[in-house]
Amino acid sequence: MRRGWFILLLTLLLGRPGFATVVYVMEVKDHTAASPQAETVQMRVEGRQIKIELASDAHPNMPRGMMYRGDRREMIVLDDAHKSYIVIDRQTVQSVSEQYKQAMNQMQEKLKTMPEEQRAIVEKMMKERMPQMSTQAAKRPQSEVRKTGERSVQAGYACEKYEIWQDGKKRLDLWVTDWSKLDGGREAKSAFTDLATFVREIQESFTSASGAPGGFGGQFDGSFFAYLDQIDGFPVRTEEFEDGSLAREAVLRSAKRQSPNPADFEIPAGYTQRKMFKDQ
């Protein structure tokens, strides 16, 4: 009998893996839109898994869900409109990188046969419309994380301000609260920091293999996801800037625990996997 109580007490103190799911709800607003509307993004965290979902139907042609499976070191992008999904991992990045190099080599060979005037026009078009395919693609901006020491209460949490700078311009303001202040924060910390590390590894892998700056993960440079392993806490308010003006902001509206549902981190029935490129 005593042994049973001891096991129960140990379980309560240490917790059981996957015993609870933590759900964070963020309100996101795009200030570059003609009529900025607040949208809801839900982040579900369990163990080393994260599922991010856009709650509204305002963008029917865009993927509404993304899952990070830390146990398999892969990211899954769900496309509800086409009932399909894409898996992003190191193997996928290597495959895409090889295709990128082949496409670049073919383009460079084709450019050699063009008259100088026509070649200049094509190169300009590539640089403007497809910078990732340009023969003179810019380097991915280097980010600097600055801890300002400024403190304030944001969304009901005591926060410290961090700034993210890129190429001499401020990109983000992050109002960060300690993980221990956030419901489920201690459990969620490892999953979020693992995601940030994964994104950086994929970015570096793509750049190293293809010479292209950023890769798929470049889109995360303007998100707090890219910096969660470099700041001491969770950003309850994020402000993104473009040319000195506020472009987008995200605010934490709620954080709560829920009973786990194994289906939350599985690919929905009837969805088929598709490749990032047809020839992949």
Side-chain angles (χ1 to χ4, degrees):
M1 187 71 176
R2 290 181 179 177
R3 184 172 181 273
W5 278 108
F6 175 76
I7 293 175
L8 175 61
L9 178 61
L10 193 63
T11 300
L12 292 173
L13 289 174
L14 299 181
R16 288 181 291 175
F19 179 74
T21 297
V22 185
V23 179
Y24 300 103
V25 176
M26 306 286 294
E27 184 179 270
V28 180
K29 186 176 290 187
D30 185 354
H31 291 279
T32 64
S35 300
Q37 300 292 326
E39 296 185 290
T40 300
V41 175
Q42 178 176 277
M43 297 182 291
R44 186 179 299 272
V45 185
E46 183 180 324
R48 295 179 63 197
Q49 304 174 115
I50 301 174
K51 186 175 184 179
I52 305 171
E53 296 177 286
L54 182 64
S56 74
D57 295 315
H59 309 285
N61 296 322
M62 290 180 60
R64 292 179 54 201
M66 183 197 80
M67 292 189 294
Y68 171 63
R69 295 292 305 263
D71 55 337
R72 299 201 295 248
R73 299 294 288 170
E74 65 182 25
M75 187 177 291
I76 301 169
V77 180
L78 299 171
D79 186 343
D80 293 336
H82 300 91
K83 290 188 178 299
S84 63
Y85 65 95
I86 295 172
V87 177
I88 301 172
D89 54 17
R90 281 186 177 273
Q91 183 178 354
T92 302
V93 170
Q94 289 295 330
S95 176
V96 172
S97 298
E98 288 301 319
Q99 292 179 65
Y100 176 91
K101 283 198 281 190
Q102 291 177 14
M104 283 296 298
N105 290 336
Q106 291 174 4
M107 180 59 70
Q108 289 173 356
E109 289 300 318
K110 192 171 183 179
L111 286 173
K112 290 179 182 178
T113 63
M114 291 182 180
E116 185 175 347
E117 185 176 336
Q118 185 180 357
R119 183 169 64 248
I121 294 174
V122 172
E123 288 182 338
K124 181 180 180 182
M125 181 189 70
M126 290 173 61
K127 185 176 181 180
E128 292 176 350
R129 299 185 182 181
M130 300 179 293
Q132 74 278 13
M133 293 293 291
S134 172
T135 55
Q136 296 179 335
K139 293 183 179 179
R140 183 164 161 259
Q142 295 298 309
S143 299
E144 178 188 358
V145 180
R146 299 180 183 179
K147 188 175 183 179
T148 68
E150 184 178 349
R151 297 180 183 275
S152 175
V153 175
Q154 299 286 334
Y157 295 90
C159 297
E160 185 169 7
K161 184 181 179 182
Y162 287 74
E163 296 177 348
I164 310 299
W165 288 72
Q166 291 180 343
D167 295 340
K169 296 180 180 180
K170 185 166 70 170
R171 183 72 183 274
L172 297 170
D173 275 347
L174 305 177
W175 289 96
V176 177
T177 193
D178 189 88
W179 289 106
S180 63
K181 305 296 183 184
L182 196 66
D183 193 13
R186 294 184 186 278
E187 297 92 329
K189 176 182 178 180
S190 59
F192 278 121
T193 54
D194 193 36
L195 171 60
T197 302
F198 172 81
V199 169
R200 186 170 298 107
E201 288 175 355
I202 293 296
Q203 288 175 327
E204 292 173 352
S205 178
F206 186 93
T207 302
S208 175
S210 67
F216 103 92
Q219 61 185 298
F220 285 90
D221 285 343
S223 164
F224 66 76
F225 289 112
Y227 308 99
L228 284 173
D229 59 345
Q230 301 178 63
I231 59 177
D232 191 18
F234 182 85
V236 298
R237 177 182 289 275
T238 301
E239 297 173 333
E240 180 184 355
F241 299 90
E242 291 181 358
D243 297 324
S245 299
L246 179 64
R248 282 162 288 274
E249 63 178 327
V251 182
L252 179 66
R253 292 308 183 196
S254 67
K256 59 182 179 181
R257 298 174 187 266
Q258 292 183 356
S259 297
N261 180 359
D264 287 336
F265 296 96
E266 297 298 332
I267 296 168
Y271 279 51
T272 57
Q273 183 175 357
R274 66 183 177 88
K275 298 176 180 178
M276 295 184 70
F277 294 97
K278 292 182 179 180
D279 297 331
Q280 184 187 333

